Amino acid sequence: MQFADASIPARRGSRAFLRGSLLMLFMSICIGHSSAASITGIVWQPENATIAPQGKWDQIGAHQLLIQWTAVDNLAFVADAGIPVAPQLPDWKRIAGEPWAREVILGLAGYFDENKARANLDELGALSARLAKLPTPLNVVGWYFPVEIDPTWNNAAKLAPLLASLPRPLWISVYDSANVGPDDVAKWLASWLPKDVGVFFQDGVGVHAREAHIAVDYLNALEKRLGKQRVRVIAEAFRPQIGGGFRSATIDELMPQLNAYGTRKVYLFDGPHYVSDTLVDEIKSRLKQEKTKR
């Protein structure tokens, strides 16, 4: 942006002051916009330790529940799937009544091991088609195919016909562990992904793959190529833990991440494991403080 004509020497000092003032104003507007954090939903990865998710995530805006899968490693978390049932099933009726699960994007069939999942697409596709037809008390507004995608998967494009056989609205998730870059990831996806399939972008902040402002570059590139309505972001609400594994992100770690995404549709990964009631209270307090400042 051209604030002043640098070729005119007269009143150089005042013009420099004006340029600096306008630049500061512009930056403050951008910062103010980016701090309008919002949370659309939470992710839940069902497994034995979190078979009964409990939380007050609705108090920070979450009203959609993204369930990673309803069958994993050939064990179903729903009845009548035609495969063995997990030792304990979720209380789907109770979950359907939770304010943070007013709408559900229902995950289908996957494996914990990513390589195994990618090697068994036909099996997972057939099982997913069966799972999608099973009745539940949930208000299902979409489905999610839980075989995660990144540019190092050379055969990812063969997912396209499988995805075509699954119900709509349909979502997949994408990450970039190789850091090939926003434009290349977006161009690659647009070259083969069915045009009616949406994308959850895993921001990579929790695993320290990138900072949130770089994740925004990915979101911008994906939105440009795919359309804003097809792109959502999964904010990793965890950080590496000393000695191995992961811990919940602190409020000071998480808020800059959320602020960077502004009013986009943000989903916290994952609620039952990492977003405790205490962290919810801290997020709620910080959001209130920032709203007052604006």
Side-chain angles (χ1 to χ4, degrees), residues 69-271:
W69 44 50
T70 43
V72 64
D73 289 357
N74 208 42
L75 279 178
F77 292 102
V78 291
D80 302 321
I83 59 173
V85 176
Q88 183 180 355
L89 294 182
D91 184 347
W92 292 114
K93 186 175 181 180
R94 191 269 299 173
I95 291 169
E98 294 285 359
W100 39 263
R102 293 198 300 272
E103 298 176 340
V104 172
I105 298 175
L106 191 63
L108 299 171
Y111 281 104
F112 275 106
D113 183 87
E114 184 176 84
N115 291 327
K116 187 173 182 179
R118 292 177 177 182
N120 291 275
L121 291 179
D122 290 341
E123 170 200 331
L124 293 178
L127 178 53
S128 290
R130 292 205 305 272
L131 290 169
K133 294 176 182 178
L134 294 177
T136 76
L138 304 169
N139 177 28
V140 176
V141 298
W143 289 266
Y144 169 71
F145 186 63
V147 180
E148 299 173 352
I149 300 166
D150 82 306
T152 66
W153 185 7
N154 294 327
N155 296 321
K158 66 182 184 180
L159 262 180
L162 184 156
L163 296 175
S165 69
L166 297 176
R168 269 46 174 176
L170 182 65
W171 297 86
I172 49 93
S173 66
V174 176
Y175 65 98
D176 183 16
S177 61
N179 287 316
V180 303
D183 293 335
D184 286 345
V185 169
K187 183 178 179 181
W188 169 70
L189 271 178
S191 71
W192 63 265
L193 187 69
K195 296 186 183 302
D196 58 352
V197 175
V199 170
F200 282 94
F201 178 68
Q202 300 175 36
D203 67 358
V205 176
V207 294
H208 295 325
R210 65 188 55 85
E211 295 183 5
H213 72 276
I214 302 298
V216 171
D217 293 339
Y218 280 84
L219 295 171
N220 288 336
L222 289 168
E223 289 168 353
K224 182 178 179 181
R225 290 275 183 178
L226 306 180
K228 289 187 176 182
Q229 75 281 358
R230 291 175 65 193
V231 180
R232 301 182 182 182
V233 57
I234 293 178
E236 296 173 348
F238 57 83
R239 296 296 185 271
Q241 185 169 253
I242 296 173
F246 296 93
R247 58 168 175 82
S248 297
T250 67
I251 186 63
D252 289 332
E253 291 169 331
L254 189 59
M255 284 311 299
Q257 192 176 349
L258 298 179
N259 288 338
Y261 306 140
T263 57
R264 286 181 169 93
K265 290 187 175 181
V266 178
Y267 296 71
L268 296 177
F269 185 94
D270 87 332

